[in-house]
Short mmCIF file of all heavy atoms in Angstrom, two decimals:
data_model
loop_
_atom_site.label_atom_id
_atom_site.label_comp_id
_atom_site.label_asym_id
_atom_site.label_seq_id
_atom_site.Cartn_x
_atom_site.Cartn_y
_atom_site.Cartn_z
N GLY A 42 -11.05 4.63 -12.42
CA GLY A 42 -12.37 5.25 -12.17
C GLY A 42 -13.36 4.33 -11.50
O GLY A 42 -14.54 4.78 -11.34
N LEU A 43 -12.83 3.27 -10.77
CA LEU A 43 -13.74 2.39 -10.05
C LEU A 43 -13.96 2.73 -8.71
O LEU A 43 -14.87 2.19 -7.93
CB LEU A 43 -13.29 0.86 -10.09
CG LEU A 43 -13.26 0.34 -11.69
CD1 LEU A 43 -12.81 -1.17 -11.53
CD2 LEU A 43 -14.60 0.45 -12.31
N LEU A 44 -13.11 3.71 -8.16
CA LEU A 44 -13.15 4.12 -6.77
C LEU A 44 -13.25 5.61 -6.59
O LEU A 44 -12.49 6.38 -7.45
CB LEU A 44 -11.84 3.58 -5.95
CG LEU A 44 -11.71 2.08 -5.84
CD1 LEU A 44 -10.34 1.79 -5.03
CD2 LEU A 44 -12.76 1.33 -5.31
N THR A 45 -14.00 6.11 -5.64
CA THR A 45 -13.91 7.47 -5.45
C THR A 45 -12.91 7.69 -4.33
O THR A 45 -12.40 6.73 -3.75
CB THR A 45 -15.33 7.82 -4.68
OG1 THR A 45 -15.59 7.18 -3.47
CG2 THR A 45 -16.50 7.51 -5.83
N VAL A 46 -12.69 9.06 -4.09
CA VAL A 46 -11.67 9.33 -3.03
C VAL A 46 -11.92 8.80 -1.69
O VAL A 46 -10.90 8.39 -1.12
CB VAL A 46 -11.54 10.88 -3.04
CG1 VAL A 46 -10.64 11.39 -1.94
CG2 VAL A 46 -11.10 11.50 -4.44
N ASN A 47 -13.21 8.74 -1.41
CA ASN A 47 -13.56 8.24 -0.06
C ASN A 47 -13.97 6.81 0.12
O ASN A 47 -14.41 6.35 1.04
CB ASN A 47 -14.70 9.10 0.50
CG ASN A 47 -14.33 10.66 0.50
OD1 ASN A 47 -13.32 11.01 1.05
ND2 ASN A 47 -15.26 11.47 0.21
N ALA A 48 -13.62 6.04 -0.99
CA ALA A 48 -14.03 4.71 -1.00
C ALA A 48 -13.33 3.90 0.05
O ALA A 48 -12.10 4.28 0.31
CB ALA A 48 -13.84 3.93 -2.40
N PRO A 49 -13.81 2.92 0.70
CA PRO A 49 -13.02 2.21 1.84
C PRO A 49 -11.80 1.59 1.35
O PRO A 49 -10.84 1.53 2.10
CB PRO A 49 -14.06 1.12 2.27
CG PRO A 49 -15.41 1.72 1.88
CD PRO A 49 -15.20 2.49 0.61
N GLU A 50 -11.71 1.14 0.14
CA GLU A 50 -10.52 0.45 -0.48
C GLU A 50 -9.41 1.45 -0.49
O GLU A 50 -8.29 1.12 -0.50
CB GLU A 50 -10.86 -0.18 -1.87
CG GLU A 50 -11.82 -1.27 -1.83
CD GLU A 50 -13.19 -0.80 -1.98
OE1 GLU A 50 -13.50 0.33 -1.81
OE2 GLU A 50 -13.95 -1.69 -2.55
N VAL A 51 -9.63 2.81 -0.60
CA VAL A 51 -8.55 3.76 -0.64
C VAL A 51 -7.83 3.80 0.66
O VAL A 51 -6.53 3.65 0.73
CB VAL A 51 -9.21 5.18 -1.06
CG1 VAL A 51 -7.98 6.26 -0.96
CG2 VAL A 51 -9.67 5.19 -2.46
N ALA A 52 -8.48 3.96 1.73
CA ALA A 52 -7.88 3.93 3.06
C ALA A 52 -7.18 2.72 3.38
O ALA A 52 -6.15 2.59 3.82
CB ALA A 52 -8.84 4.31 4.19
N GLU A 53 -7.81 1.56 2.98
CA GLU A 53 -7.30 0.18 3.22
C GLU A 53 -6.15 -0.09 2.32
O GLU A 53 -5.10 -0.68 2.72
CB GLU A 53 -8.38 -0.90 2.80
CG GLU A 53 -7.99 -2.24 3.08
CD GLU A 53 -7.66 -2.59 4.42
OE1 GLU A 53 -7.81 -1.82 5.44
OE2 GLU A 53 -7.15 -3.85 4.67
N GLY A 54 -6.12 0.52 1.19
CA GLY A 54 -5.00 0.45 0.26
C GLY A 54 -3.64 1.13 0.84
O GLY A 54 -2.61 0.49 0.80
N VAL A 55 -3.90 2.28 1.56
CA VAL A 55 -2.75 2.88 2.31
C VAL A 55 -2.24 2.05 3.37
O VAL A 55 -1.00 1.93 3.61
CB VAL A 55 -3.19 4.32 2.72
CG1 VAL A 55 -2.03 5.06 3.53
CG2 VAL A 55 -3.57 5.23 1.51
N ARG A 56 -3.14 1.45 4.13
CA ARG A 56 -2.72 0.62 5.28
C ARG A 56 -1.97 -0.63 4.83
O ARG A 56 -0.98 -0.99 5.19
CB ARG A 56 -4.00 0.16 6.11
CG ARG A 56 -3.64 -0.62 7.27
CD ARG A 56 -4.90 -1.21 7.97
NE ARG A 56 -5.41 -2.25 7.10
CZ ARG A 56 -4.89 -3.59 7.35
NH1 ARG A 56 -3.98 -3.89 8.24
NH2 ARG A 56 -5.43 -4.64 6.59
N LEU A 57 -2.42 -1.15 3.63
CA LEU A 57 -1.78 -2.33 3.05
C LEU A 57 -0.35 -1.95 2.59
O LEU A 57 0.58 -2.81 2.68
CB LEU A 57 -2.55 -2.96 2.00
CG LEU A 57 -3.93 -3.51 2.37
CD1 LEU A 57 -4.83 -3.81 1.18
CD2 LEU A 57 -3.61 -4.91 3.19
N ALA A 58 -0.25 -0.79 2.01
CA ALA A 58 1.12 -0.35 1.51
C ALA A 58 2.15 -0.31 2.66
O ALA A 58 3.27 -0.70 2.55
CB ALA A 58 0.90 0.97 0.76
N TRP A 59 1.70 0.33 3.82
CA TRP A 59 2.48 0.40 4.93
C TRP A 59 2.85 -1.04 5.48
O TRP A 59 3.99 -1.28 5.96
CB TRP A 59 1.91 1.29 6.00
CG TRP A 59 2.04 2.73 5.69
CD1 TRP A 59 0.89 3.56 5.53
CD2 TRP A 59 3.15 3.53 5.51
NE1 TRP A 59 1.47 4.84 5.30
CE2 TRP A 59 2.76 4.88 5.26
CE3 TRP A 59 4.54 3.20 5.51
CZ2 TRP A 59 3.66 5.91 5.02
CZ3 TRP A 59 5.43 4.17 5.20
CH2 TRP A 59 5.14 5.55 4.97
N MET A 60 1.89 -1.93 5.48
CA MET A 60 2.09 -3.31 5.84
C MET A 60 3.25 -3.86 4.99
O MET A 60 4.00 -4.72 5.55
CB MET A 60 0.91 -4.05 5.86
CG MET A 60 -0.25 -3.66 6.83
SD MET A 60 0.11 -4.30 8.48
CE MET A 60 -0.14 -5.99 8.39
N ALA A 61 3.13 -3.65 3.74
CA ALA A 61 4.24 -4.15 2.73
C ALA A 61 5.52 -3.62 3.20
O ALA A 61 6.60 -4.43 3.14
CB ALA A 61 3.77 -3.72 1.40
N THR A 62 5.70 -2.30 3.54
CA THR A 62 6.98 -1.87 3.94
C THR A 62 7.49 -2.44 5.12
O THR A 62 8.66 -2.61 5.40
CB THR A 62 6.98 -0.29 4.10
OG1 THR A 62 6.10 0.05 5.10
CG2 THR A 62 6.42 0.27 2.70
N GLN A 63 6.66 -2.78 6.12
CA GLN A 63 6.95 -3.43 7.44
C GLN A 63 7.37 -4.82 7.23
O GLN A 63 8.46 -5.17 7.72
CB GLN A 63 5.64 -3.30 8.31
CG GLN A 63 5.94 -4.03 9.68
CD GLN A 63 4.72 -4.07 10.51
OE1 GLN A 63 3.65 -3.35 10.32
NE2 GLN A 63 4.60 -4.96 11.64
N HIS A 64 6.65 -5.58 6.39
CA HIS A 64 6.92 -7.05 6.25
C HIS A 64 7.91 -7.29 5.11
O HIS A 64 8.34 -8.45 4.98
CB HIS A 64 5.60 -7.87 6.15
CG HIS A 64 4.82 -7.83 7.40
ND1 HIS A 64 5.22 -8.29 8.63
CD2 HIS A 64 3.54 -7.28 7.66
CE1 HIS A 64 4.31 -8.19 9.59
NE2 HIS A 64 3.34 -7.54 8.86
N GLY A 65 8.19 -6.39 4.32
CA GLY A 65 8.89 -6.58 3.04
C GLY A 65 10.03 -5.50 3.03
O GLY A 65 10.36 -5.10 1.86
N ARG A 66 10.61 -5.24 4.04
CA ARG A 66 11.56 -4.19 4.15
C ARG A 66 12.77 -4.49 3.19
O ARG A 66 13.38 -3.51 2.56
CB ARG A 66 12.10 -4.03 5.55
CG ARG A 66 13.28 -2.91 5.59
CD ARG A 66 13.74 -2.72 7.06
NE ARG A 66 14.88 -1.84 7.09
CZ ARG A 66 14.99 -0.51 6.83
NH1 ARG A 66 13.86 0.05 6.50
NH2 ARG A 66 16.16 0.07 6.79
N ASP A 67 13.18 -5.67 3.04
CA ASP A 67 14.21 -6.01 2.18
C ASP A 67 13.77 -6.83 0.97
O ASP A 67 14.58 -7.51 0.26
CB ASP A 67 15.28 -7.01 2.93
CG ASP A 67 15.94 -6.20 4.01
OD1 ASP A 67 16.37 -5.11 3.86
OD2 ASP A 67 16.01 -6.86 5.21
N ASP A 68 12.51 -6.67 0.68
CA ASP A 68 11.79 -7.25 -0.63
C ASP A 68 11.62 -6.20 -1.54
O ASP A 68 10.68 -5.48 -1.55
CB ASP A 68 10.69 -8.05 -0.20
CG ASP A 68 9.93 -8.75 -1.28
OD1 ASP A 68 10.34 -8.47 -2.44
OD2 ASP A 68 8.93 -9.37 -1.12
N PRO A 69 12.51 -6.16 -2.63
CA PRO A 69 12.15 -5.02 -3.65
C PRO A 69 10.78 -5.16 -4.28
O PRO A 69 10.20 -4.04 -4.67
CB PRO A 69 13.33 -5.24 -4.57
CG PRO A 69 13.75 -6.66 -4.52
CD PRO A 69 13.57 -6.99 -3.03
N THR A 70 10.22 -6.34 -4.38
CA THR A 70 8.95 -6.46 -5.08
C THR A 70 7.82 -5.86 -4.18
O THR A 70 7.01 -5.01 -4.59
CB THR A 70 8.57 -8.02 -5.37
OG1 THR A 70 9.48 -8.53 -6.24
CG2 THR A 70 7.15 -8.05 -5.89
N ALA A 71 7.86 -6.06 -2.88
CA ALA A 71 7.02 -5.56 -1.84
C ALA A 71 7.08 -4.04 -1.88
O ALA A 71 6.09 -3.25 -1.95
CB ALA A 71 7.17 -6.10 -0.52
N LEU A 72 8.34 -3.51 -1.83
CA LEU A 72 8.56 -2.08 -1.63
C LEU A 72 8.17 -1.44 -3.08
O LEU A 72 7.49 -0.39 -3.00
CB LEU A 72 9.88 -1.89 -1.46
CG LEU A 72 10.52 -2.25 -0.08
CD1 LEU A 72 11.98 -2.06 -0.14
CD2 LEU A 72 9.81 -1.72 0.98
N CYS A 73 8.30 -2.07 -4.16
CA CYS A 73 8.02 -1.45 -5.45
C CYS A 73 6.50 -1.19 -5.64
O CYS A 73 5.99 -0.20 -5.99
CB CYS A 73 8.56 -2.33 -6.53
SG CYS A 73 8.09 -1.81 -8.16
N TYR A 74 5.75 -2.27 -5.23
CA TYR A 74 4.28 -2.20 -5.42
C TYR A 74 3.61 -1.31 -4.38
O TYR A 74 2.47 -0.89 -4.53
CB TYR A 74 3.71 -3.63 -5.48
CG TYR A 74 3.91 -4.11 -6.88
CD1 TYR A 74 4.89 -5.24 -7.03
CD2 TYR A 74 3.23 -3.79 -7.88
CE1 TYR A 74 5.11 -5.80 -8.16
CE2 TYR A 74 3.41 -4.40 -9.23
CZ TYR A 74 4.37 -5.34 -9.40
OH TYR A 74 4.56 -5.95 -10.58
N ALA A 75 4.28 -1.10 -3.14
CA ALA A 75 3.75 -0.30 -2.12
C ALA A 75 3.97 1.17 -2.46
O ALA A 75 3.25 2.02 -1.92
CB ALA A 75 4.47 -0.55 -0.77
N ALA A 76 5.10 1.53 -3.16
CA ALA A 76 5.37 2.93 -3.25
C ALA A 76 4.32 3.79 -3.92
O ALA A 76 3.94 4.89 -3.53
CB ALA A 76 6.70 3.05 -3.98
N LEU A 77 3.88 3.26 -5.08
CA LEU A 77 2.79 4.03 -5.91
C LEU A 77 1.50 4.29 -5.16
O LEU A 77 0.99 5.37 -5.08
CB LEU A 77 2.70 3.47 -7.25
CG LEU A 77 2.07 4.36 -8.37
CD1 LEU A 77 2.96 5.58 -8.55
CD2 LEU A 77 2.04 3.62 -9.67
N PRO A 78 1.06 3.28 -4.40
CA PRO A 78 -0.19 3.54 -3.68
C PRO A 78 -0.02 4.66 -2.56
O PRO A 78 -0.94 5.35 -2.17
CB PRO A 78 -0.53 2.21 -2.98
CG PRO A 78 0.09 1.20 -3.99
CD PRO A 78 1.26 1.85 -4.38
N LEU A 79 1.18 4.66 -1.90
CA LEU A 79 1.45 5.69 -0.94
C LEU A 79 1.29 6.98 -1.62
O LEU A 79 0.84 7.90 -0.91
CB LEU A 79 2.88 5.39 -0.28
CG LEU A 79 3.02 4.24 0.67
CD1 LEU A 79 4.58 4.12 1.02
CD2 LEU A 79 2.12 4.33 1.79
N SER A 80 1.69 7.19 -2.75
CA SER A 80 1.57 8.56 -3.48
C SER A 80 0.04 8.73 -3.94
O SER A 80 -0.35 9.87 -3.75
CB SER A 80 2.61 8.50 -4.60
OG SER A 80 3.85 8.40 -4.16
#
């Protein structure tokens, strides 16, 4: 409940999740933590 739908951290979180998939393609930790924010 600390962020609204339109909070800047929401869009930034999505960008960071995609960065994780790009730089951690073979890193299960990076992919695991990126998956839920994408959803």
